[in-house]
Amino acid sequence: MHVAVVGTGYVGLVSGTCFSEFGHHVTCVDKDAKKIAGLNRGEMPIYEPGLQRLVESNAEAGRLGFSTDLGAAVKDADAVFIAVGTPSRRGDGHADLSYVYAAAEEIAKAIDGYTVVVTKSTVPVGTGAEVERIIRATRPDADFDVVSNPEFLREGAAIEDFMRPDRVVIGTESERAREVMRELYRPLYLIETPIVFTRRQTSELIKYAANTFLATKITFINEMADLCEVLDADVQDVARGIGLDGRIGRKFLHAGPGYGGSCFPKDTLALVRTAQDAGSPLRIVETVVEINAKRKQSMAQRVIDACGGGVAGKTIAVLGLTFKPNTDDMRDSPSLDIVPALVAAGARVRVFDPKGMDEARHLLDGIEWCKGAYDTMADADALTIVTEWNEFRALDLDRVKELMKTPVMIDLRNIYNPNDMAEAGFDYTCIGRAKVSARA
Ligand code: UGA
């Protein structure tokens, strides 16, 4: 099949590349000529494990191309995916759909023969209907259907999530469109991926419901972690103890500094607004949004407490800036609350992130950018782990201790074992588990 993908952000680029890996002919379109030129030279605009290799091999095989010419790509396509951004609108938290609607109008002008227009961007319920109205108004003669097909890709694991998804959700009432979508996802039938066919507005809601549920699960375990700290219980064991119940499940029960990223914060807020406007408020999700924002703001205080109540004039090493590992994405990362709060409290902050430094430089000021994990620790009064990159999981603790002025670690991702840390001579603060003092 011939596929056009409009928008070469993270979702569009990964989806387009993976469809070409399935054997379809894909053109990824973007208005940003510099980005397209870069992609044509094999330069990735984002860091996503495995993406570069897949782009190169499919481009070489002639199945994947990048272009600024939306008209040409749409004209030849059986299916056109809208994968443009839907940022939170300033002020009210609603998703900003102006890019989606602008894409719909441009697509309409170029439609040639029966075309399935698919919304891949995360869009509020009713957006598919509006996209259909726009295309119909722009091109009354066009033969098309508008389908919702939300993505469930995690950054850092997006290729695997696309190639081996838990499910595919397709929202349309048109049998003709269903046939095209079945054909597009045919390779997944071989691995027996469940495909949920439903109505368009239900499909749109499934995406928000999935993300808000996961955000709620994380927030639940984060509050449970606070309670564990007061009751001297261990949140990791609580997570395991409840997670082994198949009805609950073990995933997304890692307590931490609060969820971030380009999806959970934006989607929880957008669904809260949609529900309020519909007169059917989601009180649980409203609370989740509020608790998570406060949690991220409160994390710096943990560092300050671990430093004896003040960080003025102290040196704090920070490992990890991105909202999670294996990405260079800084959007709504807890580090954006933690680092400025430490700077404001008078600390000298030295940071390192394996992939996020370039992006972080635009967002954080007044800190020292270091070359590697150990480099951050020189003369540090405390070390804080904000993101659980693999390379931070097995630090040489003797070396860390030698480099630091005082062996104080605040592990906001629970990647170390409290007993081991005490044995290694550290004062160790973590999340939802008792603090320990150096034994050595
Ligand atoms: C999320 C969803 O997991 C994807 O299914 C979805 O497609 C995507 O949003 C989207 O809507 O595009 P992503 O934002 O890449 O994916 O990252 P997650 O792995 O879900 O992590 C989100 C945040 O939750 C991170 O800050 C992470 O550190 C935090 N988290 C996650 C926890 O604090 N604890 C956990 O147990 C899991």
Side-chain angles (χ1 to χ4, degrees):
M1 301 210 109
H2 284 84
V3 176
V5 179
V6 181
T8 59
Y10 153 78
V11 172
L13 190 54
V14 170
S15 306
T17 305
C18 290
F19 276 128
S20 71
E21 178 72 9
F22 283 174
H24 302 300
H25 285 85
V26 180
T27 308
C28 293
V29 182
D30 206 293
K31 281 198 158 77
D32 185 340
K34 238 171 91 189
K35 203 169 174 188
I36 292 296
L39 281 163
N40 277 322
R41 286 193 302 269
E43 291 161 16
M44 298 302 109
I46 50 162
Y47 172 73
E48 179 64 36
L51 183 63
Q52 173 118 26
R53 191 185 53 78
L54 225 53
V55 167
E56 278 166 8
S57 63
N58 283 290
E60 239 168 69
R63 284 191 300 264
L64 179 62
F66 300 97
S67 166
T68 52
D69 188 349
L70 183 141
V74 169
K75 189 170 165 293
D76 291 338
D78 302 293
V80 180
F81 284 82
I82 300 180
V84 295
T86 53
S88 279
R89 210 158 57 190
R90 254 172 231 277
D92 64 4
H94 275 292
D96 177 354
L97 296 172
S98 53
Y99 302 104
V100 172
Y101 295 152
E105 209 176 312
E106 275 197 69
I107 291 165
K109 290 179 195 150
I111 284 178
D112 188 11
Y114 178 66
T115 307
V116 177
V117 179
V118 191
T119 50
K120 198 73 172 145
S121 305
T122 298
V123 290
V125 177
T127 306
E130 181 60 13
V131 168
E132 183 171 323
R133 197 197 58 72
I134 291 170
I135 299 178
R136 176 97 43 235
T138 313
R139 275 282 302 284
D141 62 308
D143 188 13
F144 70 100
D145 279 304
V146 176
V147 171
S148 157
N149 173 219
E151 55 87 18
F152 301 101
L153 312 174
R154 285 163 307 162
E155 291 188 23
I159 308 277
E160 174 68 12
D161 283 351
F162 196 100
M163 294 298 190
R164 300 188 159 273
D166 288 340
R167 81 308 205 179
V168 172
V169 175
I170 293 171
T172 176
E173 283 166 76
S174 152
E175 187 44 45
R176 224 165 142 206
R178 236 177 263 156
E179 259 321 297
V180 170
M181 296 305 288
R182 259 194 214 107
E183 189 55 29
L184 275 173
Y185 282 106
R186 200 156 53 91
L188 296 182
Y189 280 86
L190 302 175
I191 54 168
E192 297 183 357
T193 304
I195 308 243
V196 179
F197 284 107
T198 182
R199 290 163 71 213
R200 195 167 54 201
Q201 61 269 44
T202 309
S203 166
E204 290 168 339
L205 186 56
I206 286 171
K207 167 65 198 226
Y208 281 97
N211 273 1
T212 49
F213 187 85
L214 292 169
T216 304
K217 203 172 172 188
I218 296 167
T219 305
F220 174 85
I221 204 67
N222 282 343
E223 280 210 306
M224 205 50 82
D226 289 347
L227 182 61
C228 283
E229 286 167 18
V230 180
L231 300 181
D232 192 21
D234 183 320
V235 75
Q236 310 257 99
D237 290 346
V238 171
R240 192 168 139 77
I242 62 172
L244 284 168
D245 183 329
R247 292 169 301 176
I248 296 173
R250 291 176 68 176
K251 292 183 182 165
F252 279 66
L253 284 179
H254 300 289
Y259 59 78
S262 63
C263 307
F264 288 176
K266 166 172 81 72
D267 294 350
T268 44
L269 204 59
L271 189 61
V272 160
R273 296 286 177 261
T274 301
Q276 282 167 351
D277 289 355
S280 181
L282 291 169
R283 302 276 302 280
I284 290 180
V285 188
E286 287 172 14
T287 308
V288 163
V289 169
E290 190 190 319
I291 292 174
N292 192 65
K294 285 206 180 119
R295 183 170 189 82
K296 289 199 281 188
Q297 287 156 13
S298 72
M299 285 298 125
Q301 191 58 44
R302 285 182 183 243
V303 180
I304 294 169
D305 291 346
C307 291
V311 289
K314 294 196 172 165
T315 301
I316 310 292
V318 171
L319 292 186
L321 296 170
T322 50
F323 80 98
K324 67 174 195 177
N326 299 322
T327 177
D328 57 0
D329 201 334
M330 285 291 300
R331 283 176 283 181
D332 276 313
S333 174
S335 68
L336 296 176
D337 284 303
I338 298 167
V339 171
L342 293 175
V343 172
R348 172 180 169 224
V349 181
R350 293 170 61 76
V351 305
F352 173 70
D353 186 281
K355 295 283 175 203
M357 304 275 271
D358 287 346
E359 198 49 41
R361 275 177 220 274
H362 303 297
L363 302 165
L364 294 169
D365 303 314
I367 57 178
E368 292 167 35
W369 306 91
C370 299
K371 290 198 169 60
Y374 294 103
D375 187 22
T376 60
M377 297 166 200
D379 246 5
D381 295 275
L383 166 64
T384 306
I385 296 176
V386 177
T387 317
E388 70 279 30
W389 285 89
N390 273 341
E391 64 179 83
F392 304 150
R393 287 176 186 268
L395 294 169
D396 174 347
L397 295 176
D398 289 335
R399 189 172 164 200
V400 173
K401 225 168 90 178
E402 254 169 49
L403 286 166
M404 292 181 71
K405 197 188 289 171
T406 45
V408 173
M409 188 195 277
I410 304 97
D411 175 3
L412 301 180
R413 297 289 184 169
N414 286 349
I415 58 179
Y416 284 93
N417 178 298
N419 273 327
D420 295 350
M421 292 309 288
E423 285 302 321
F426 282 81
D427 287 345
Y428 176 76
T429 304
C430 45
I431 299 278
R433 301 180 298 177
K435 287 182 190 131
V436 293
S437 300
R439 265 181 226 139

